[in-house]
Amino acid sequence: MPSSLPVARAIDFLCEHTSSKSRVMALLAHDNGPSSLTAVLTCKDPDHAFEAVALLRRVLARRDATAVEDELKALTAEMPHAPAGSLRQAVLQAASGTWPTQPGTLFVVPDPDPAEDETASDVPSGPVGHPRLKDLPGKVVRIAHLNEFHVTDEDALLQAAVDRGWEPLPASELGDDDPRDLIGAVMTLTEDPDVAGTQTLDEQSSAELLSVEDGDELADWSATPILTRFTHGWRLRNRQTRPAAEDQTPNFAALFATRNCPCKGEDEDCEDCVWQLTPRTADLLHTALVVLADQAYDDAQQLGDQFLADADSSTWGVFDRMPPLTWTADHRWRRRMARAFEDLAADLARGNWPNPNCTAEEMALHLAIEDAPTYLEDRPAEDDHNALPEHEDDYGWDSCSDLMFQDHDVLMLFHSKHTGIEDPDHPANQFLGVGDLREAAWFDPFDNRGIRDPRRGFRR
């Protein structure tokens, strides 16, 4: 019997997050009424909700459920049964472009009044009397601060905030994650050098000159969120400043102990005098891979499924350094790329040479070898790296490039003269035996290399 439910058009998918759960919603357009939101699924993992939205948006744009079969199978395998079933059904509905409007609409999104739009178009929006960036004759400096506080004594923190005149939010406005309004108390005291009842874990600042030519605007007039990048990860600072219990640096001196040949390098034909991956080289390479992984996760979160060239940022940590054919990648592909850096870092942490087993890992290792020398700069004389044993093979980046890869075919993707060579059907690809370098094949393991554990998951 045909369904009697009215049908709407799905025009977008969104997600919302609370401390205990995440919810995916469909934004629906109706022929005879305003737009509305309706629930699609609820899950506990915010990453699952985020990936579900990205997947549904791709299906909606292409009107093709088969385009995401692999991603859908992988994602639903990680989800509980109920939200996984809801997601599969939502994919089919998104592919059709229509949506049954069952009871459960969350709220109505009012349509704008055309008359109001025409009136408002002649009047600039924004704070009354507040100038735009272009109206200011001098330079404008934006400074952003990052502070992280470990609350060690809640009562002392709350009393210090009360002494400053702070009043906590009503209980009805507080969630289960912060029933005493510790956030409000900390925010009240952040101008103090030391916040009572807390331990400062991190304190950073970022500053920049704003420029109209670069598309900058004052915060009160900005149509998009203000994004600021701070240092990624503890390995960019002196590791001796952290407690020993938190120092997770592998013991590279033991993992990559060097050997001294009896000939001491005097015999040019000696087969034992081969280049060695030394503790210092391994340490810097590991640092580069860990930092690149963090940057890639950050990029993936901000980019989502956006085409890189259209994304609202002038600088990305990783993905604008990769071949242009990858710029159309989706969020899940970018997270897998971030994991490729981690997999190679894990090789080193186990005392093995980084072992690229797919095109993505080859690209990751090329970037790490490029970045590793920069982590010698501005190092304190007494930090952990300089305590590692020295060797004549230290910092042999050319040798890393020569010996850690089967080939450098992936680098051809940067050159316009090789356009199309990523396709196995391309004549040049077949002549050179390049193989499949298309974006979708980057994580396919090489036949003669070990396969990563498919259950390893994602760190972020």
Side-chain angles (χ1 to χ4, degrees):
M1 180 176 180
S3 173
S4 60
L5 292 172
V7 174
R9 298 188 310 278
I11 55 178
D12 198 4
F13 294 93
L14 310 167
C15 56
E16 66 171 3
H17 307 284
T18 68
S19 59
S20 60
K21 62 183 179 182
S22 295
R23 180 161 53 178
V24 175
M25 297 169 289
L27 178 60
L28 307 179
H30 303 267
D31 292 333
N32 299 308
S35 301
S36 65
L37 283 173
T38 189
V40 173
L41 62 89
T42 301
C43 59
K44 292 185 177 181
D45 191 329
D47 281 347
H48 289 167
F50 192 84
E51 292 185 27
V53 166
L55 188 148
L56 288 167
R57 283 176 171 171
R58 291 201 301 278
V59 173
L60 183 63
R62 300 176 185 179
R63 294 290 196 273
D64 181 8
T66 63
V68 298
E69 284 182 350
D70 292 341
E71 294 92 335
L72 179 63
K73 182 177 180 181
L75 179 55
T76 54
E78 299 175 0
M79 300 173 70
H81 178 74
S86 298
L87 179 57
R88 294 188 190 97
Q89 180 62 34
V91 165
L92 297 176
Q93 293 172 336
S96 71
T98 60
W99 207 273
T101 54
Q102 305 177 34
T105 296
L106 299 179
F107 59 88
V108 169
V109 182
D111 291 327
D113 185 338
E116 292 180 2
D117 285 350
E118 292 174 5
T119 302
S121 63
D122 298 327
V123 181
S125 60
V128 176
H130 196 309
R132 303 288 294 264
L133 179 60
K134 62 182 178 59
D135 299 326
L136 298 174
K139 301 291 186 181
V140 175
V141 178
R142 174 179 291 150
I143 299 177
H145 299 286
L146 168 68
N147 298 89
E148 294 176 342
F149 300 98
H150 172 209
V151 178
T152 57
D153 188 334
E154 292 188 8
D155 292 336
L157 167 66
L158 296 172
Q159 186 59 54
V162 169
D163 292 344
R164 182 67 68 83
W166 167 78
E167 294 183 3
L169 291 172
S172 60
E173 299 182 24
L174 295 171
D176 295 339
D177 57 332
D178 188 17
R180 304 184 74 186
D181 196 14
L182 300 179
I183 292 175
V186 171
M187 292 181 68
T188 301
L189 300 173
T190 50
E191 293 184 1
D192 294 345
D194 296 304
V195 176
T198 72
Q199 173 192 12
T200 301
L201 299 178
D202 202 354
E203 184 175 358
Q204 299 183 42
S205 294
S206 173
E208 60 178 322
L209 278 173
L210 301 187
S211 168
V212 174
E213 289 75 18
D214 292 339
D216 294 331
E217 182 52 276
L218 301 177
D220 283 342
W221 285 95
S222 179
T224 57
I226 304 298
L227 302 178
T228 302
R229 289 179 178 272
F230 293 99
T231 297
H232 296 77
W234 60 267
R235 290 185 61 87
L236 290 182
R237 299 188 293 279
N238 180 7
R239 284 171 284 196
Q240 290 186 340
T241 64
R242 296 180 63 86
E246 297 182 28
D247 191 346
Q248 300 298 317
T249 309
N251 183 355
F252 289 115
L255 291 170
F256 294 94
T258 55
R259 312 176 302 278
N260 291 317
C261 182
C263 82
K264 299 180 179 180
E266 296 178 359
D267 183 357
E268 296 181 357
D269 298 325
C270 179
E271 295 183 357
D272 294 328
C273 288
V274 294
W275 179 81
Q276 301 176 58
L277 179 58
T278 67
R280 292 193 173 202
T281 305
D283 181 49
L284 293 191
L285 199 54
H286 184 265
T287 298
L289 287 163
V290 169
V291 173
L292 283 164
D294 279 338
Q295 292 175 332
Y297 276 120
D298 289 345
D299 281 2
Q301 181 175 0
Q302 294 184 36
L303 280 166
D305 291 334
Q306 294 181 83
F307 175 38
L308 185 70
D310 293 339
D312 187 18
S313 176
S314 59
T315 303
W316 297 98
V318 173
F319 292 110
D320 58 354
R321 299 174 58 189
M322 297 177 63
L325 67 83
T326 67
W327 290 2
T328 58
D330 59 24
H331 175 250
R332 185 174 182 82
W333 189 97
R334 288 165 175 150
R335 290 190 73 220
R336 294 179 73 186
M337 188 68 218
R339 188 171 61 180
F341 292 106
E342 290 183 328
D343 287 338
L344 294 173
D347 288 342
L348 286 164
R350 290 191 290 266
N352 301 320
W353 280 30
N355 178 31
N357 84 328
C358 61
T359 301
E361 291 184 13
E362 285 190 330
M363 189 72 253
L365 187 56
H366 279 299
L367 293 180
I369 292 172
E370 180 180 339
D371 288 0
T374 66
Y375 295 106
L376 270 179
E377 302 170 5
D378 302 323
R379 277 188 174 275
E382 298 180 356
D383 80 339
D384 290 356
H385 177 79
N386 288 327
L388 292 171
E390 294 186 70
H391 191 274
E392 62 182 5
D393 286 339
D394 285 343
Y395 317 131
W397 308 119
D398 288 341
S399 295
C400 288
S401 185
D402 290 341
L403 300 175
M404 293 179 177
F405 299 88
Q406 297 186 66
D407 56 57
H408 292 176
D409 290 346
V410 68
L411 299 182
M412 291 191 292
L413 301 179
F414 286 102
H415 302 291
S416 58
K417 68 178 181 179
H418 296 309
T419 298
I421 200 169
E422 68 276 7
D423 191 330
D425 293 332
H426 192 279
N429 182 302
Q430 295 180 351
F431 178 77
L432 297 173
V434 171
D436 193 349
L437 296 181
R438 292 174 295 183
E439 168 198 315
W442 271 39
F443 301 98
D444 294 345
F446 300 143
D447 292 339
N448 59 340
R449 295 293 179 107
I451 298 176
R452 304 286 183 188
D453 183 356
R455 298 168 297 178
R456 65 194 184 284
F458 294 88
R459 179 173 56 84
R460 286 173 56 184

